[in-house]
Amino acid sequence: MRTLTAFVALICTIALGTPARAAVAATPAFNSTVWALAFRGDTVYVGGSFTQLTFRGHTYTRKRLAAFNARTGAVLPWNPTANGTVRSLAVTVTGRPAVYAAGDFDTVAGARRDSLARIDAVTGRLDRFSHTVSGTVSTLTIGNGRVYVGGAFSRVDGATRRNIAAFSHASGALDRSFHPVADGRVRALAVTRTRLYTGGEFTHLNGASRARLAAVTPATGRLVTAFRPQAPHLVMDIAISPTGISTGTGGPGGRAVGYTPSGAVRWTHLFDGDVHNLAVLGGTTYVGGHFDRACRSASTIKQLGCPAGYASRVKLASLDSAGRLTRWNPRANGTYGVQVVTADPGHRRVGAGGQFTSIGGAGRYRFALFG
């Protein structure tokens, strides 16, 4: 694996106002897939299936969890170690900062942790937060004093929880008052003060017909009946936007879709492969997936094919506030491409991770930082 030693300025032509302008070269290289990212100040936390990082000629053992400095690229001593792939990360900065991790592991730092762990964000020490999950947890988010998790599971700590659950951030205990029921895998969660948006493979939530996308109240999980979207295909990711939410979908051609708070479609943009993840920053929606092309013009929710033709957008693209394709075109390589896109609003930057090994022809081993 080559080491990223020189600063290579990869200037990506973009539309006016797009904040993430270039790929920053001074970042580590990972030896396997990056699935999860989270920011805290200048620290980038990374989860995935990797076991080593390389930076400036040095190789570091980091088993599926790592952290580095976003300004310098220096690998930090934070080193919790998970024995299975980490799929999702979230960081809290209230009180003692902590990193929550979810994934396919059953131990972290040598201690039993069943798909979920809480780790000190500074020292990397494992917290006492420990739960028994019957199934798998693949996504999580933090808000309203709670940690929300989703996946394909039936019970948590012996209590029935169908694919979605919540824990108290303060005590770490399962929230017994929060108990929505999804009849299929939950792949995506995004939280506001009044709503927890939920996406995935389910067809019903709390017994109501809500195919693939719904919202519940953050405290009890009661269905938000005012939000009635009609998601066209499997929802793979959700991001909060200034006008509602944006979603990434799979299906015959992937889509990025913007919805209003009522669930009405604001805009749709069609790609020729799944949209795995997206992030909203400064009114721009950054999109990652395994697509190679995007429609030149905005699409309809049921559209297949692009009457106005395709534009090359290999694994990464961005859309303006009306869902129109911008000129930002970093060009990641690989078959499956980008698995995670995460925004850092405080520093106006975007991180992307996945299976790619180059951006715009320059070596970027499974992680790239734009800002």
Side-chain angles (χ1 to χ4, degrees), residues 57-315:
H58 297 281
T59 297
Y60 303 82
T61 298
R62 293 292 187 272
K63 293 184 178 179
R64 304 168 191 91
L65 285 164
F68 68 91
N69 185 286
R71 289 184 297 105
T72 67
V75 178
L76 300 178
W78 194 82
N79 186 17
T81 303
N83 75 335
T85 299
V86 174
R87 304 282 180 183
S88 186
L89 293 173
V91 181
T92 178
V93 295
T94 57
R96 182 71 178 177
V99 177
Y100 287 90
D104 304 339
F105 52 84
D106 53 33
T107 68
V108 175
R112 177 74 182 185
R113 289 296 184 270
D114 195 0
S115 295
L116 289 170
R118 183 166 67 191
I119 304 156
D120 188 290
V122 178
T123 67
R125 286 194 299 265
L126 189 64
D127 190 272
R128 288 177 294 177
F129 179 87
S130 180
H131 299 276
T132 301
V133 180
S134 298
T136 60
V137 178
S138 54
T139 186
L140 57 80
T141 192
I142 302 171
N144 305 297
R146 295 173 177 84
V147 183
Y148 301 96
V149 303
F153 51 85
S154 58
R155 299 180 74 82
V156 177
D157 296 341
T160 299
R161 290 294 186 274
R162 300 293 184 188
N163 305 313
I164 184 169
F167 304 89
S168 165
H169 170 60
S171 70
L174 178 68
D175 188 335
R176 302 281 174 174
S177 64
F178 179 86
H179 45 78
V181 176
D183 69 349
R185 180 188 295 270
V186 171
R187 287 179 171 264
L189 297 170
V191 66
T192 69
R193 187 176 57 83
T194 59
R195 293 181 178 185
L196 176 68
Y197 291 99
T198 305
E201 302 172 22
F202 53 86
T203 59
H204 290 76
L205 201 148
N206 293 351
S209 178
R210 289 291 189 279
R212 298 173 285 271
L213 184 61
V216 298
T217 58
T220 65
R222 180 173 51 84
L223 187 70
V224 176
T225 57
F227 182 68
R228 300 185 63 88
Q230 294 184 357
H233 299 287
L234 162 70
V235 173
M236 305 185 79
D237 198 21
I238 304 171
I240 304 298
S241 74
T243 52
I245 62 169
S246 300
T247 66
T249 75
R255 288 171 172 76
V257 185
Y259 294 94
T260 70
S262 69
V265 174
R266 291 190 62 249
W267 51 261
T268 305
H269 209 103
L270 182 66
F271 296 80
D272 68 346
D274 291 349
V275 173
H276 292 152
N277 282 86
L278 42 74
V280 176
L281 180 64
T284 300
T285 300
Y286 294 87
V287 179
H290 72 78
F291 50 82
D292 294 320
R293 301 182 299 168
C295 285
R296 292 187 180 277
S297 60
S299 313
T300 68
I301 196 69
K302 296 183 178 180
Q303 178 178 316
L304 294 176
C306 299
Y310 289 93
S312 175
R313 291 293 186 276
V314 185
K315 312 304 188 283

